Amino acid sequence: MEIKTISWSFTNKCNLNCLHCIVDAGKEYHDELSTIESKNVVDQLSQLNCNCIHFTGGECLTKPNFLDVAEYCLKKDINTTLVTNATLLDDTNVDIIKNIFNDVRVSLNGASEKTHDFIRGKGNFNKTLKVIDLLNNAGVPVIFFVTLGSINYSEITDIIKLSRVYKAAGLKIDSVVIEGRALGYQEIFSLDAQQTQSLVDEFNNGLSGILEEDDLCNISSQSLYLSPAGDVYPCVHLSLNKSKRYFLGNVREMTILQMIQKFNREILPDCKNKKCIYKFYSKGSNYILGTKNPNNSRCLS
């Protein structure tokens, strides 16, 4: 038995206060995994032939031990990607980032300074573009990570153009999940049915890339979600209300192998029967546009 990928929310700590954040990131949890515990997780994933770890947060780069753990993945021959708001990347760490990660997924929530900064905070749009230039010059593949809501829906065409101007290796588009901090801003993030269909139509009208139209999401026992405190769920969406129904266990108490077995036994039937209320959002994660990096195909998901 093996696992292909895991989405690892390394910390809840974040230096921004983005309006759409589904995990309401900000303060570090008191019980986040230690360096030793994190490396034990990496050891287990290595034994299960894990292809790729997608590191997210919070903002991973706020944690002093993060790069140590990420580099340990490299030693274990596990590919890694980093989702970041890009504000903590600069000349002092770009070479380290280049040596560790297969790609860096930079959050961009608008094609204009006005929209992006409204969601993420003043000054972040220009700072983000400067960091993208920095990464490009260092030879780091950059994927634009876009979360769409009604507030930035009209800018999608310009965002795609911007990704091409900045020579992005790809463009990953998700719709906003109305959970966490986004619950307080539903009027600016909720997409209606017409907007959603228009988006799908636009993807199907010649944009280079992939649109998977399967009714099922991309979650399986070979792709799990790990929280900062070590809780494991089938995906981040099912972790939001801490439902016991979809809780697979904690890495301090169970092995990842045991949790995969539990998923196959107890959760997978729900997925096959298409009962998951978050199917739309997980399906949305499959919208990947742009040119695949042939050296990184195992992590482009």
Side-chain angles (χ1 to χ4, degrees):
M1 193 168 290
E2 60 182 25
I3 182 169
K4 290 182 178 179
T5 65
I6 190 162
S7 178
W8 186 345
S9 182
F10 196 79
T11 181
N12 195 62
K13 187 176 181 181
C14 190
N15 58 324
L16 298 185
N17 192 42
C18 302
L19 303 185
H20 67 298
C21 184
I22 63 173
V23 296
D24 200 11
K27 292 184 179 180
E28 179 179 348
Y29 294 147
H30 73 278
D31 58 349
E32 292 185 0
L33 296 177
S34 68
T35 302
I36 293 176
E37 290 171 327
S38 296
K39 289 184 176 180
N40 177 262
V41 168
V42 175
D43 288 335
Q44 291 186 59
L45 292 173
S46 177
Q47 292 167 7
L48 292 168
N49 298 316
C50 181
N51 287 332
C52 188
I53 298 174
H54 301 287
F55 282 111
T56 182
E59 173 54 53
C60 295
L61 294 174
T62 61
K63 289 277 284 188
N65 69 331
F66 170 64
L67 291 177
D68 180 27
V69 174
E71 190 171 28
Y72 187 68
C73 298
L74 187 64
K75 294 177 181 177
K76 290 291 182 175
D77 198 29
I78 300 176
N79 294 299
T80 55
T81 71
L82 172 63
V83 177
T84 177
N85 60 40
T87 59
L88 301 179
L89 279 164
D90 55 32
D91 290 327
T92 67
N93 57 18
V94 68
D95 287 336
I96 298 172
I97 298 296
K98 176 182 179 180
N99 291 333
I100 295 176
F101 298 99
N102 288 68
D103 65 58
V104 174
R105 303 175 180 208
V106 177
S107 299
L108 191 76
N109 290 109
S112 66
E113 180 179 0
K114 179 181 178 181
T115 302
H116 181 88
D117 286 2
F118 179 81
I119 297 171
R120 292 188 166 269
K122 187 176 181 180
N124 281 300
F125 182 73
N126 290 326
K127 185 181 294 184
T128 297
L129 295 183
K130 287 180 181 179
V131 170
I132 291 171
D133 271 336
L134 178 68
L135 292 168
N136 280 335
N137 291 334
V140 180
V142 176
I143 292 177
F144 280 28
F145 199 94
V146 183
T147 308
L148 276 188
S150 56
I151 187 174
N152 56 2
Y153 166 82
S154 64
E155 297 186 21
I156 181 59
T157 299
D158 289 332
I159 291 174
I160 292 170
K161 290 178 181 177
L162 195 64
S163 72
R164 289 168 176 161
V165 169
Y166 280 85
K167 301 177 181 178
L171 172 61
K172 187 172 190 295
I173 300 176
D174 288 340
S175 53
V176 174
V177 179
I178 307 300
E179 297 280 1
R181 201 172 295 139
L183 283 169
Y185 302 92
Q186 295 186 48
E187 70 281 359
I188 64 172
F189 287 125
S190 295
L191 285 172
D192 60 35
Q194 184 178 355
Q195 289 173 320
T196 302
Q197 186 58 50
S198 295
L199 189 60
V200 172
D201 291 342
E202 186 168 4
F203 287 159
N204 284 330
N205 286 333
L207 291 175
S208 61
I210 301 169
L211 172 59
E212 296 184 6
E213 299 182 15
D214 197 317
D215 285 335
L216 293 177
C217 70
N218 61 347
I219 300 302
S220 71
S221 61
Q222 294 184 324
S223 178
L224 301 176
Y225 167 77
L226 174 63
S227 81
D231 291 337
V232 177
Y233 289 84
C235 69
V236 62
H237 307 117
L238 293 175
S239 75
L240 296 175
N241 59 8
K242 300 188 184 300
S243 167
K244 292 183 179 179
R245 173 70 184 91
Y246 297 107
F247 176 60
L248 297 177
N250 186 284
V251 295
R252 292 185 173 112
E253 301 168 355
M254 295 173 64
T255 67
I256 295 175
L257 176 60
Q258 289 173 326
M259 288 184 265
I260 292 174
Q261 292 169 335
K262 180 179 180 180
F263 176 91
N264 287 333
R265 184 176 62 250
E266 300 178 16
I267 309 299
L268 193 56
D270 276 5
C271 295
K272 287 186 175 180
N273 293 329
K274 308 178 185 179
K275 294 179 180 178
C276 178
I277 62 172
Y278 291 107
K279 179 179 64 177
F280 170 79
Y281 300 106
S282 292
K283 178 182 175 184
S285 297
N286 288 331
Y287 298 153
I288 304 172
L289 307 174
T291 304
K292 286 188 177 181
N293 178 354
N295 297 319
N296 187 38
S297 58
R298 291 190 294 174
C299 278
L300 269 173
S301 61

